[in-house]
Amino acid sequence: MIELEGVPELIDPVMICAFEGWNDAGDAASSAVAHLDREWKGEVFAALDAEDYYDFQVNRPTVWLDGGVRKITWPTTRLSVVRTGGTEGKGTSRDLVLVRGIEPSMRWRSFCNEILGFAHELGVEMVVILGSLLGDTPHTRPVPVSGVTSDPDLARTLDLEESRYEGPTGIVGILQEACTHAGVPAVSLWAAVPHYVSQPPNPKATLALLNRLEDLIDLRIPQGELPEDARAWQLGVDQLAAEDSEVAEYVQSLEEARDTADLPEASGEAIAREFERYLRRRDGQPGPAQPGQPGGLAAEPGLTEGGRDGSYLRDTASGRTRPPRRQARDDEAGGDGAEGAGPVPEDEADGPEGEG
């Protein structure tokens, strides 16, 4: 059983996860969680034991000096809590549990068991896992962000894509499946990063993930310097592309393909949705009420693994399973939901997109 001391009662908590490595093209996903932690001054309350999950010849520890004293930072996954209280006193008040680390090298089921143990102990109502992948998308167009889930009921409630991906997967896909088998609502948000400019950072993709997350959990997220960084990034890539005629021609072909594919999306409903986003950000007001807020999707009180496949949550070496979720408060209620997920890129064979 995981016992947390010093962590106060959280308000409608949502767990946001991102992992460096295969699921983090352009560092877009890990940068998004780092942005949340920085803007809301997150407080770290736990770290997983590095020796349990990491191969130090793959992810090496680093040595640094602190006032002349040599110290070591081990690769690991850390959890922190941010108390949002509504941005500038407006919008939804909701606490976040941030999970940020490196994709583990081993014992993935035990790793997920620990993460879900914290989620249940803290009363987390939904897990949102961020990822980014390389895709055939032009840097000059809005970053496609797809929202997927392995839970068919959750897909209908939040108007998300139900994952149909088959193939190699990363820790994002494994953690999502672990959540589904444990009865914890879970969503993956994937941003497509142009494969011809894949080196980090990619602030435009990070900003797109945060905007989609903002819609999903109905919480206004301070953007800080990200919009300006995204504009500077695009201008820099524009200049590089202009210096190479072959690259410029290739980008143009991607633009034409993207514009053709997006024509059906240029509907009145899509335009209205973007206008609502603009008004919400300008006025700092929450979006229109929709069914299926994460608060209404928590697992039933006393839910156990009976009748569910608990293999993803069991450490086969020790036989430990996740601790039971504490009783849900009687005053939990539903509220706002999320907009529909964006189109999923078609190059699933090249990466983990849409795998949930």
Side-chain angles (χ1 to χ4, degrees):
M1 171 72 74
I2 296 174
E3 296 183 2
L4 301 176
E5 297 182 359
V7 179
E9 186 81 7
L10 302 181
I11 301 173
D12 299 333
V14 174
M15 179 176 278
I16 313 295
C17 310
F19 303 96
E20 299 174 18
W22 195 58
N23 301 136
D24 194 27
D27 289 355
S30 59
S31 295
V33 173
H35 176 86
L36 296 173
D37 189 77
R38 182 172 56 252
E39 290 293 322
W40 275 313
K41 298 178 175 58
E43 298 180 5
V44 175
F45 66 89
L48 276 58
D49 190 336
E51 291 201 5
D52 286 344
Y53 305 113
Y54 295 98
D55 180 348
F56 298 140
Q57 291 183 322
V58 176
N59 297 293
R60 292 186 178 273
T62 57
V63 178
W64 55 287
L65 293 175
D66 181 13
V69 178
R70 295 175 67 82
K71 295 187 176 181
I72 298 176
T73 298
W74 298 92
T76 188
T77 295
R78 293 179 173 83
L79 292 86
S80 59
V81 169
V82 297
R83 314 300 297 266
T84 68
T87 304
E88 299 176 355
K90 301 178 180 179
T92 301
S93 176
R94 156 169 285 144
D95 296 330
L96 303 179
V97 179
L98 304 181
V99 180
R100 181 187 175 201
I102 303 170
E103 182 176 63
S105 307
M106 62 195 78
R107 299 183 66 202
W108 283 16
R109 283 182 291 189
S110 179
F111 181 87
C112 293
N113 179 59
E114 285 212 51
I115 297 297
L116 283 171
F118 284 108
H120 279 266
E121 186 70 12
L122 292 167
V124 166
E125 298 176 343
M126 173 179 279
V127 175
V128 181
I129 315 166
L130 306 182
S132 50
L133 53 99
L134 300 180
D136 292 328
T137 181
H139 72 278
T140 54
R141 297 294 185 266
V143 176
V145 177
S146 56
V148 296
T149 180
S150 299
D151 185 336
D153 294 332
L154 192 61
R156 288 190 296 270
T157 303
L158 296 182
D159 195 17
L160 300 168
E161 295 284 343
E162 187 176 351
S163 177
R164 300 296 183 188
Y165 174 80
E166 295 179 300
T169 188
I171 193 61
V172 171
I174 298 299
L175 181 55
Q176 167 123 7
E177 291 304 307
C179 291
T180 300
H181 286 276
V184 179
V187 175
S188 296
L189 300 181
W190 289 94
V193 172
H195 65 83
Y196 58 89
V197 56
S198 59
Q199 63 271 25
N202 189 319
K204 186 174 182 179
T206 295
L207 183 60
L209 277 172
L210 290 174
N211 285 338
R212 185 67 179 86
L213 176 65
E214 186 177 67
D215 288 345
L216 182 67
I217 64 176
D218 188 26
L219 178 68
R220 185 179 177 190
I221 298 173
Q223 295 185 345
E225 297 179 356
L226 269 178
E228 183 59 34
D229 292 343
R231 284 190 288 269
W233 176 86
Q234 181 165 326
L235 287 174
V237 179
D238 285 342
Q239 293 173 359
L240 291 175
E243 295 172 0
D244 189 316
S245 59
E246 291 185 2
V247 173
E249 183 177 349
Y250 178 66
V251 171
Q252 183 178 359
S253 67
L254 291 178
E255 290 173 339
E256 293 173 352
R258 173 70 184 277
D259 293 343
T260 300
D262 283 351
L263 281 177
E265 294 296 322
S267 63
E269 181 179 350
I271 294 172
R273 188 163 58 239
E274 290 304 313
F275 186 60
E276 286 177 359
R277 178 200 291 275
Y278 164 75
L279 292 178
R280 194 160 62 244
R281 176 155 293 281
R282 186 192 67 178
D283 299 332
Q285 298 298 323
Q290 298 179 19
Q293 181 195 14
L297 294 170
E300 297 87 347
L303 180 68
T304 66
E305 291 176 7
R308 298 180 185 274
D309 180 1
S311 60
Y312 289 90
L313 305 177
R314 185 175 297 279
D315 180 349
T316 54
S318 65
R320 291 181 294 127
T321 57
R322 64 167 174 80
R325 188 186 191 279
R326 66 184 181 186
Q327 287 287 324
R329 297 190 306 274
D330 293 337
D331 58 348
E332 286 181 342
D336 296 347
E339 299 291 350
V344 179
E346 297 179 358
D347 54 339
E348 291 189 353
D350 298 329
E353 78 198 78
E355 66 187 32

